[in-house]
Amino acid sequence: MAIKKTSQLVAKSTELKSIANEDQIKNFIKDADKTILEQDNLNPDAIRNYRQLSVRLNEYEYTLLEKYSKKVRRSIADSMRDALIEKIKMDLNEHQ
């Protein structure tokens, strides 16, 4: 295996730069600050297998969640998820 000269490596990086055109670079920069939630490709009804969270609750919080879950006839996980999503959406709308 031959050792490449520095001039060969510089030539390679110049070739790579020419692959992306100005519009692609501008679009990349424009979208760089967007969060995942701002991107259009996420499905709110997708299968829930992306991440799992563990939340520690005290007895008061758990009892309250349990009562609410029974009232709305949903699982505790579904009740937590719905409450979390609703709260986040409400808070995000307030700050816009």
Side-chain angles (χ1 to χ4, degrees):
M1 175 160 75
I3 298 175
K4 293 189 178 192
K5 294 180 183 176
T6 307
S7 59
Q8 290 174 319
L9 295 174
V10 171
K12 290 271 185 194
S13 67
T14 307
E15 291 170 19
L16 290 176
K17 286 180 185 176
S18 65
I19 293 173
N21 64 33
E22 263 187 62
D23 289 336
Q24 290 172 320
I25 294 169
K26 287 178 184 176
N27 287 335
F28 175 79
I29 292 169
K30 181 185 69 160
D31 294 339
D33 289 338
K34 287 188 177 181
T35 62
I36 292 174
L37 293 176
E38 292 172 325
Q39 294 175 356
D40 297 333
N41 60 353
L42 295 179
N43 178 5
D45 299 321
I47 296 172
R48 294 185 174 101
N49 61 356
Y50 179 66
R51 298 271 194 213
Q52 181 176 348
L53 301 175
S54 175
V55 179
R56 297 214 179 262
L57 304 175
N58 63 29
E59 189 175 359
Y60 168 78
E61 294 164 336
Y62 187 82
T63 303
L64 194 63
L65 180 59
E66 194 173 38
K67 285 180 184 178
Y68 176 74
S69 298
K70 286 179 183 176
K71 180 179 179 180
V72 295
R73 295 182 177 186
R74 300 199 64 179
S75 70
I76 289 177
D78 284 342
S79 298
M80 285 178 61
R81 186 180 303 110
D82 291 346
L84 177 66
I85 297 298
E86 185 177 328
K87 173 68 171 149
I88 290 171
K89 284 182 177 180
M90 190 169 48
D91 286 355
L92 287 176
N93 288 331
E94 285 179 7
H95 293 97
Q96 289 182 351

